[in-house]
Amino acid sequence: AQVMALMQDVDATAWGFGRGMSARAELRFREAVGDGRSLWPQGRQHMDVLALYAELDRDRLRARLGRQWYASSLGYRNFDGAMMEVQPLATVGGLRVEGYAGWSLMQGLSRGLTSDALSAIEELPPDQRGVLVGASVRWRPGNRRGGVRAQYEREIQSNRGALYAERAAASADLLLGRTMVAGELVYDLATAEFNEARLRASRPITRSVELVAEGRHS
């Protein structure tokens, strides 16, 4: 039997459209030969668009439009839509506000929730596209000795008939002398449970040795 599976990622960035303007594309190509077509179902999907967006990056504003990734305490979310980050107050340089919204995609796959990739393995797959809405606020003072961040995210059916997910996260870190203390909470509002709770303390002993203590609940 002949089995061969090939996968190639192609990344491209273009600029020169004006001050702070650029475009980004991340593509994934697949091919399967021989028995690989039946052993690797993903090989039938010859191309995935992982990311394809236009971006504007200025001193106090960053905005994206298109297919993109958003990384946070709630994980990596990919969606088709818009994201904006602003620094609302020039006198408070460490304050940042973010907002994002669009059609949600399956985590790890840049395909809609109603895609065959999910319906083939789920007895009750989603029957409506998902709409993702989220926002976060983060603040870090000028002395850089600490910071806080809060985030809220909600995912609903496109017809507003049901809720797919609703979560919130908060994190903070503080430098006490040479010891850094950091904590994080991730809360699922739909199930009223903490998905993650973490407290971590670290202190350098020498230039190459660091002492770390961490407690985690998952």
Side-chain angles (χ1 to χ4, degrees), residues 145 175-180 202-207 209-210:
R145 297 185 64 85
L175 183 62
L176 301 173
R178 298 177 61 201
T179 302
M180 174 64 73
S202 60
R203 181 184 179 91
I205 305 301
T206 67
R207 289 185 178 181
V209 178
E210 183 181 45

Side-chain angles (χ1 to χ4, degrees), residues 42-206:
Q42 290 293 330
R44 302 168 191 165
Q45 183 80 19
H46 297 296
M47 186 184 77
D48 274 336
V49 180
L50 304 181
L52 183 62
Y53 60 83
E55 182 175 54
L56 173 65
D57 193 353
R58 298 286 180 86
D59 295 337
R60 296 172 56 191
L61 169 69
R62 183 169 65 95
R64 286 181 178 177
L65 180 63
R67 175 162 293 185
Q68 57 192 288
W69 292 86
Y70 183 84
S72 69
S73 299
L74 298 178
Y76 288 88
R77 296 307 307 264
N78 43 346
F79 63 96
D80 293 331
M83 186 278 293
M84 181 177 292
E85 178 189 55
V86 297
Q87 180 186 330
L89 302 173
T91 57
V92 187
L95 179 63
R96 296 279 179 174
V97 179
E98 294 176 314
Y100 53 97
W103 298 111
S104 59
L105 303 173
M106 283 186 288
Q107 289 179 295
L109 284 176
S110 294
R111 303 181 200 172
L113 300 183
T114 57
S115 166
D116 293 341
L118 186 59
S119 61
I121 59 175
E122 288 285 346
E123 293 184 2
L124 297 173
D127 57 359
Q128 294 285 335
R129 295 188 68 179
V131 176
L132 182 71
V133 178
S136 72
V137 178
R138 54 181 173 169
W139 175 71
R140 187 169 293 277
N143 59 19
R144 301 292 178 178
R145 297 185 64 85
V148 294
R149 176 178 173 137
Q151 181 184 0
Y152 171 80
E153 186 178 276
R154 182 180 177 93
E155 186 177 8
I156 62 175
Q157 285 187 350
S158 57
N159 62 0
R160 300 184 181 180
L163 177 71
Y164 282 138
E166 186 177 23
R167 298 185 298 160
S171 60
D173 58 83
L174 179 63
L175 183 62
L176 301 173
R178 298 177 61 201
T179 302
M180 174 64 73
V181 180
E184 181 181 58
L185 291 172
V186 178
Y187 187 70
D188 192 324
L189 283 80
T191 61
E193 291 181 344
F194 285 99
N195 293 149
E196 188 83 16
R198 179 177 62 88
L199 182 63
R200 184 177 190 269
S202 60
R203 181 184 179 91
I205 305 301
T206 67

